[in-house]
């Protein structure tokens, strides 16, 4: 495999995950605002940290380029947020984050991983399908939108034993 994808593997090795800290919230909030039309607040991230969710930042060269958050309980995981700074889009960062959160979920005992995604977010949907997520439902009016609300696609992935 290393012969087939040497550039990709070198690039991925440059990304380092570490647990999110309260000191990261300003940077995380700035990334969220740069990437999302309807961003979470720093207070929402702080609440998630306080609740004990698995929250990670992903760094390259000491700079945070993205983050991911997952809640694991009773054999299920729910991906709460994945975000990559727009400057790092199309560099494999999103896939790296998804892969890491799936690994964490499995280590914490999850059998199934769930997430919501906007139907208008086709790049994210393609990424999740590459990992084997399947659409299992729709949450009506789940997301705020410029004109009212947008539904969410509910996706699920069964983790292999």
């Amino acid at each position: 495999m290393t012969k087939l994808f040497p550039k990709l593997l070198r690039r991925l090795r440059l990304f380092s995950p570490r647990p999110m800290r309260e000191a990261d919230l300003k940077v995380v909030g700035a990334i969220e605002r740069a990437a999302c039309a309807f961003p979470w607040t720093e207070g929402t991230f702080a609440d998630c940290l306080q609740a004990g969710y698995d929250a990670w930042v992903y760094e390259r060269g000491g700079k945070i380029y993205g983050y991911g958050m997952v809640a694991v309980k009773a054999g299920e995981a729910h991906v709460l947020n994945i975000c990559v700074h727009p400057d790092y889009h199309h560099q494999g960062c999103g896939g790296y984050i998804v892969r890491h959160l799936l690994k964490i979920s499995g280590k914490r005992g999850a059998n199934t991983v769930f997430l919501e995604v906007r139907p208008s977010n086709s790049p994210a949907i393609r990424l999740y399908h590459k990992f084997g997520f399947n659409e299992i439902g729709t949450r009506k009016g789940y997301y705020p939108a410029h004109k009212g609300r947008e539904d969410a696609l509910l996706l699920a992935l069964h983790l292999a034993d």
Side-chain angles (χ1 to χ4, degrees), residues 3-151:
K3 290 181 181 179
L4 296 175
F5 304 106
K7 282 185 178 180
L8 176 64
L9 291 174
R10 279 195 304 274
R11 186 170 55 199
L12 291 179
R13 284 189 194 118
L14 297 175
F15 304 144
S16 300
R18 69 164 170 78
M20 186 184 294
R21 301 183 290 247
E22 204 169 311
D24 299 322
L25 294 182
K26 287 202 183 306
V27 173
V28 166
I31 293 170
E32 178 84 356
R33 288 186 300 277
C36 301
F38 300 93
W40 281 17
T41 66
E42 289 173 29
T44 301
F45 286 105
D47 290 346
C48 289
L49 286 178
Q50 190 165 11
Y53 298 144
D54 279 292
W56 294 83
V57 296
Y58 301 86
E59 298 176 316
R60 177 164 40 183
K63 179 180 177 186
I64 296 173
Y65 69 85
Y67 49 88
M69 191 171 296
V70 63
V72 182
K73 190 171 186 174
E76 294 182 353
H78 190 134
V79 175
L80 303 172
N81 196 329
I82 293 176
C83 188
V84 175
H85 191 283
D87 291 347
Y88 293 92
H89 284 185
H90 310 294
Q91 295 184 31
C93 304
Y96 184 85
I97 294 171
V98 171
R99 187 175 296 108
H100 183 249
L101 292 181
L102 293 176
K103 184 177 175 182
I104 294 297
S105 298
K107 284 183 177 182
R108 301 269 192 268
N111 298 312
T112 306
V113 180
F114 298 95
L115 61 82
E116 290 87 11
V117 61
R118 290 177 185 268
S120 60
N121 191 349
S122 54
I125 293 168
R126 281 193 301 276
L127 176 65
Y128 298 140
H129 284 162
K130 284 181 185 178
F131 279 92
F133 280 89
N134 294 298
E135 185 178 335
I136 61 168
T138 302
R139 296 192 193 275
K140 296 287 183 194
Y142 187 79
Y143 291 112
H146 291 293
K147 293 184 179 179
R149 308 283 301 174
E150 182 177 2
D151 294 345

